Amino acid sequence: SERLKAGLSRTRQQFGGGLAGLFGRRKIDEDLLEELESTLLMADCGVEATTHLLDEARKRWKRDKLENAEELQGALAEALTETLAPLEAPLSVDGHRPFIIMIAGVNGAGKTTSIGKLAKYFQSQGKSVLLAAGDTFRAAAREQLVTWGERNNVTVIAQDGGDAAAVIFDAVNAARARGIDVVLADTAGRLPTQLHLMEEIAKVRRVIAKAEPSGPHEVLLVLDANIGQNALTQVKAFDAAIGVTGLVLTKLDGTAKGGVVAAIARQCPKPLRFIGVGEGIDDLQPFRAGEFVEALFG
Ligand code: GDP
């Protein structure tokens, strides 16, 4: 779609644009493959995914007897689509009511913004939504959520200086009493240097399970695409602590590091539920591998 294409413009320039320069009228040779390698690395695909994509491109070059660079571009797009395909697993909230989504991430990743976007997304699908202001460490985060809820007619369960566990426990019970479809539970962020401090958030997860034994039904980790390869470290750290079941990759619009999705696919594959491609409330899209690659190359 055009919106996705516009959102991915920086990555397009780095990735697609770099490639467009490469794939002019020329023959395929080792020089071309070497330049391709640098382009993939600069778009933050990382060494592992870059090697994989190059191998795949090379395989198709030989197998399909490709001759010019343009054909290699097609081969690369195909290889990338295949690499990213395992990440495509849209989130369905139909299995439980309330369907409880726990949201985690480091400070500034785009957690609060994504919660607003997600609430809007689920509402547009006819689902009722309740927010739990579980980031009780930052009053600003709570206020941001409460303000957003008031503006959009969404109930926000919050407490002045309360503890996160109590807020989330209340929220789950309120959602059940009111027949709400989806609970979005915010959690306290942390500094990227504090990935070892996971006891608090692990406790929040346990509290959700206590309030609703089948939950949480989704543990979403919000990642800022600008951190590139550091995303892998964050996925692993949060996964070890709370069992991440899905990812939201934000700020793809502002970065040239969109290749990180390939690194995620190869090194810590988790369903990439949504991508953020702007600050607006509608700038959140379910991830589709084919669409994504088309927006990069097309
Ligand atoms: P939190 O600390 O994780 O809750 O992060 P916030 O939700 O407050 O977001 C931090 C900043 O990133 C804000 O200025 C957001 O507007 C911005 N942001 C979040 N998602 C996106 C996105 O997909 N694209 C862009 N361009 N900015 C985003």
Side-chain angles (χ1 to χ4, degrees):
S1 70
E2 285 309 307
R3 188 183 205 110
L4 181 60
K5 222 165 151 173
L8 292 178
S9 63
R10 295 275 286 275
T11 291
R12 263 164 71 81
Q13 278 160 23
Q14 179 69 46
F15 202 69
L19 294 176
L22 282 183
F23 294 130
R25 293 182 129 269
R26 61 188 278 195
K27 282 223 155 286
I28 305 173
D29 54 20
E30 288 302 326
D31 277 354
L32 175 65
L33 289 173
E34 226 166 80
E35 286 172 49
L36 179 55
E37 180 173 26
S38 315
T39 305
L40 294 173
L41 288 173
M42 280 188 313
D44 250 86
C45 289
V47 174
E48 210 280 342
T50 295
T51 306
H52 171 73
L53 289 170
L54 277 178
D55 285 351
E56 288 296 308
R58 196 185 294 275
K59 207 162 79 192
R60 287 170 169 78
W61 170 28
K62 305 287 184 202
R63 185 193 66 195
D64 302 335
K65 305 200 174 20
L66 305 180
E67 286 188 356
N68 61 49
E70 244 166 43
E71 292 173 317
L72 190 69
Q73 179 172 8
L76 181 68
E78 196 182 281
L80 186 58
T81 307
E82 274 177 28
T83 301
L84 299 183
L87 301 187
E88 182 178 320
L91 180 60
S92 162
V93 295
D94 289 334
H96 300 273
R97 190 202 280 173
F99 190 97
I100 304 166
I101 304 177
M102 176 178 172
I103 321 252
V106 302
N107 292 333
K111 221 154 35 77
T112 313
T113 310
S114 295
I115 289 173
K117 290 172 173 176
L118 284 168
K120 179 90 189 296
Y121 173 82
F122 289 121
Q123 280 183 312
S124 74
Q125 299 198 324
K127 308 285 183 195
S128 53
V129 176
L130 181 142
L131 308 184
D135 185 352
T136 46
F137 286 97
R138 290 188 307 161
R142 183 183 70 230
E143 276 154 29
Q144 203 180 330
L145 219 57
V146 169
T147 309
W148 191 90
E150 280 168 0
R151 234 189 290 131
N152 293 279
N153 260 321
V154 174
T155 304
V156 181
I157 304 293
Q159 264 181 23
D160 273 340
D163 85 306
V167 170
I168 288 179
F169 200 82
D170 280 359
V172 171
N173 286 321
R176 202 183 287 119
R178 298 176 199 185
I180 296 281
D181 296 311
V182 182
V183 175
L184 295 168
D186 196 8
T187 61
R190 64 213 57 245
L191 297 171
T193 51
Q194 293 176 330
L195 290 177
H196 55 291
L197 299 178
M198 293 286 186
E199 191 36 50
E200 183 68 30
I201 195 166
K203 181 178 157 202
V204 168
R205 194 188 195 291
R206 290 195 296 272
V207 166
I208 293 176
K210 214 176 267 175
E212 173 48 59
S214 68
H217 308 107
E218 176 79 358
V219 178
L220 272 184
L221 176 63
V222 179
L223 298 167
D224 177 344
N226 290 289
I227 65 174
Q229 293 295 296
N230 286 327
L232 304 180
T233 315
Q234 291 190 7
V235 174
K236 283 169 192 159
F238 278 94
D239 194 28
I242 53 174
V244 172
T245 57
L247 306 175
V248 178
L249 192 62
T250 66
K251 310 189 203 181
L252 271 167
D253 52 304
T255 185
K257 298 182 177 178
V260 68
V261 289
I264 291 172
R266 292 290 300 172
Q267 289 172 276
C268 49
K270 294 275 179 194
L272 178 50
R273 306 293 195 187
F274 296 94
I275 54 175
V277 291
E279 288 185 284
I281 191 78
D282 296 314
D283 295 326
L284 188 81
Q285 309 189 343
F287 174 75
R288 309 262 179 212
E291 230 176 69
F292 187 84
V293 173
E294 199 162 298
L296 278 185
F297 289 89

